[in-house]
């Protein structure tokens, strides 16, 4: 059972932008390890891209993260994530509505070559790490046709249709229209997902066949049926970020499990509360830390009552104020001091879960 945390490596930077000085990074690494033990965390999600704009030198950042993983040997298992699209590294800002980096021609041999190289680099960084559990792919992929069209002006099928006639994707779309079967956007979206997922899984199986593929980190429960069905053919785990959720609903998770037949992990989630400095926070907000903790524990108890659940990852170790003024709230303030109440309450939540698993034998249970 995974009791994880996301974005911990961002604490090795100044506000998610420039890396800490080398002299400071060692002290921060030690503090992260001590804190995570105290919070009852047993697994860490580590990002090698950090949305790209987090640092001026992505390659240098990967070196810092790799050193961090070396420090954590014997401390915490980790799941490694790296967005596959080269364009994601140049997104202008977190939460941007710019569509230019969101889509790629997944049928293009040039894209496939970039994908294979990116997977090879990530696996070389991680496969000799004994505590690597597996890999995540893209974070919040833009699959839902309606919402992607509303936010970015085009969805993935629009993008493929708009390519030059000589482009591999455009040629694939033309052959799709001539073939038997449905010719709607959802049907072609399935082919995009099949192409992308098949190539992605093959690359990871080639370069690190021992590790789990956690797939993409879907945002909420609106991922199209066609995409989930294609993912289920090649991934080991389905990953969901239940954005906007604070009341547990078994029906939503059961629906995904019925479609895929795979274990599920929450790849990023938390609840928040206002602070004197920030009235606007990411994720669902409760009035106080105590109320947030009660709701948080109830949600996790619901999640872990489901037999196919592998674990969850709490969003954010250290506060990250965003350019919009919103706070991406962590367990520590930006100066590195822990919040007075919620971290202590979270430790208790995790310990009660572990005690319950130990008493009913679930710590040694294999997933169905």
């Amino acid at each position: 059972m995974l009791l994880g945390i996301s974005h911990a490596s961002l604490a090795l930077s100044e506000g998610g932008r420039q890396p800490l000085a080398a002299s400071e990074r060692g002290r921060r690494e030690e503090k992260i390890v001590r804190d995570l033990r105290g919070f009852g965390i047993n697994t860490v999600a580590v990002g090698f891209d950090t949305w790209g704009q987090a640092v001026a030198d992505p390659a240098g950042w990967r070196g810092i993260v790799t050193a961090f993983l070396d420090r954590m040997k014997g401390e915490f298992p980790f799941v490694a994530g790296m967005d596959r699209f080269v364009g994601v590294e140049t997104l202008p800002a977190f939460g941007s509505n710019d569509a230019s980096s969101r889509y790629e021609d997944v049928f293009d041999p040039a894209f496939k070559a970039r994908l294979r190289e990116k997977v090879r680099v990530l696996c070389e960084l991680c496969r000799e790490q004994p505590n690597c559990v597996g890999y995540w792919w893209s974070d919040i992929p833009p699959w839902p046709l309606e919402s992607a069209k509303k936010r970015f002006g085009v969805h993935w099928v629009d993008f493929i249709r708009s390519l030059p006639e000589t482009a591999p994707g455009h040629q694939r779309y033309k052959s799709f229209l001539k073939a038997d079967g449905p010719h709607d956007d959802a049907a072609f979206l399935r082919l995009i997902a099949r192409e992308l997922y098949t190539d992605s899984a093959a690359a990871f199986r080639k370069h690190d066949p021992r590790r789990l593929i956690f797939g993409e980190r879907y945002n909420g429960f609106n991922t199209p049926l066609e995409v989930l069905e294609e993912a289920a053919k090649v991934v080991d785990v389905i990953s969901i970020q239940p954005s906007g959720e604070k009341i547990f609903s078994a029906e939503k998770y059961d629906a995904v499990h019925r479609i895929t037949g795979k274990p599920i992990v929450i790849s990023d989630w938390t609840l928040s509360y206002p602070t004197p400095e920030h009235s606007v926070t990411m994720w669902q907000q409760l009035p106080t830390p105590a109320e947030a903790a009660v709701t948080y524990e109830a949600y996790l108890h619901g999640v872990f009552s489901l037999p196919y659940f592998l674990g969850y990852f709490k969003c954010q170790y250290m506060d990250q104020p965003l350019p919009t003024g919103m706070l991406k709230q962590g367990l520590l303030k930006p100066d590195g001091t822990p919040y007075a109440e919620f971290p202590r309450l979270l430790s208790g939540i995790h310990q009660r879960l572990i005690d319950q698993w130990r008493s009913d034998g679930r710590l040694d249970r294999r997933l169905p």
Side-chain angles (χ1 to χ4, degrees):
M1 294 292 192
L2 306 179
L3 297 175
I5 196 158
S6 300
H7 316 305
S9 56
L10 278 177
L12 301 175
S13 68
E14 295 284 1
R17 289 179 290 275
Q18 295 297 327
L20 291 174
S23 59
E24 176 61 24
R25 285 203 304 271
R27 288 192 292 271
R28 183 63 61 82
E29 288 174 357
E30 296 302 319
K31 177 173 174 51
I32 292 172
V33 169
R34 289 195 307 272
D35 286 344
L36 297 188
R37 283 201 205 109
F39 300 149
I41 299 295
N42 65 18
T43 315
V44 178
V46 177
F48 282 83
D49 272 355
T50 64
W51 282 84
Q53 87 281 9
V55 290
D57 178 12
W61 177 253
R62 288 168 200 159
I64 291 170
V65 174
T66 303
F68 176 56
L69 294 180
D70 284 337
R71 169 61 187 86
M72 290 201 303
K73 282 181 180 175
E75 301 283 359
F76 301 101
F78 72 92
V79 180
M82 178 181 281
D83 284 298
R84 296 159 304 160
F85 298 159
V86 174
V88 170
E89 295 180 359
T90 59
L91 281 176
F94 180 90
S96 167
N97 290 331
D98 178 15
S100 63
S101 299
R102 295 286 173 173
Y103 309 113
E104 289 270 6
D105 183 354
V106 301
F107 303 97
D108 187 341
F111 167 74
K112 293 171 181 283
R114 295 199 305 272
L115 168 62
R116 290 193 297 269
E117 177 62 11
K118 202 163 190 184
V119 172
R120 183 191 67 78
V121 170
L122 177 59
C123 290
E124 285 189 357
L125 291 170
C126 298
R127 67 188 174 206
E128 301 306 321
Q129 298 276 2
N131 50 337
C132 179
V133 177
Y135 298 98
W136 269 309
W137 297 347
S138 292
D139 186 29
I140 312 183
W143 289 114
L145 292 169
E146 185 176 344
S147 60
K149 181 92 167 183
K150 183 177 180 181
R151 181 171 182 184
F152 306 123
V154 294
H155 53 57
W156 213 323
V157 181
D158 288 334
F159 171 80
I160 295 291
R161 272 195 294 255
S162 71
L163 293 170
E165 286 197 13
T166 56
H170 193 101
Q171 292 295 312
R172 182 67 182 88
Y173 185 72
K174 286 170 65 176
S175 64
F176 158 75
L177 293 178
K178 294 175 183 177
D180 293 335
H183 297 126
D184 57 15
D185 287 350
F188 192 71
L189 191 72
R190 178 189 293 278
L191 299 185
I192 295 174
R194 181 179 299 166
E195 193 80 8
L196 184 59
Y197 287 170
T198 300
D199 289 345
S200 299
F204 276 100
R205 300 293 185 204
K206 175 182 178 180
H207 292 291
D208 195 355
R210 297 179 300 146
R211 287 351 196 284
L212 295 174
I213 294 178
F214 285 77
E216 295 188 305
R217 289 162 280 181
Y218 301 119
N219 189 27
F221 298 91
N222 63 345
T223 302
L225 168 71
E226 296 81 4
V227 173
L228 289 175
E229 288 179 341
E230 294 303 318
K233 297 175 182 178
V234 296
V235 305
D236 301 304
V237 182
I238 297 295
S239 301
I240 296 174
Q241 303 185 46
S243 300
E245 299 279 318
K246 65 178 180 181
I247 304 301
F248 172 72
S249 168
E251 290 78 12
K252 293 179 179 179
Y253 290 105
D254 285 344
V256 173
H257 184 65
R258 279 195 302 272
I259 293 168
T260 65
K262 298 290 183 178
I264 293 176
V265 67
I266 290 178
S267 54
D268 209 27
W269 173 82
T270 193
L271 297 175
S272 66
Y273 49 90
T275 72
E277 297 81 14
H278 293 275
S279 60
V280 180
T281 52
M282 186 181 286
W283 301 96
Q284 287 289 303
Q285 188 183 94
L286 279 297
T288 66
E291 291 168 279
V294 169
T295 305
Y296 196 103
E297 184 165 14
Y299 195 95
L300 289 188
H301 272 291
V303 161
F304 287 112
S305 71
L306 302 175
Y308 50 79
F309 240 89
L310 183 61
Y312 98 106
F313 287 77
K314 185 201 178 303
C315 181
Q316 212 67 12
Y317 162 68
M318 181 180 286
D319 279 0
Q320 184 183 2
L322 302 179
T324 60
M326 176 182 288
L327 177 65
K328 196 174 183 184
Q329 191 173 59
L331 297 167
L332 277 65
K333 301 173 186 177
D335 65 1
T337 59
Y339 281 98
E341 191 170 1
F342 192 82
R344 174 180 56 80
L345 296 173
L346 180 67
S347 299
I349 292 170
H350 286 165
Q351 187 58 56
R352 285 189 289 277
L353 283 169
I354 291 170
D355 291 343
Q356 180 62 46
W357 297 337
R358 183 174 290 111
S359 70
D360 62 21
R362 276 191 288 171
L363 284 179
D364 299 318
R365 185 192 67 189
R366 292 184 177 272
L367 286 166

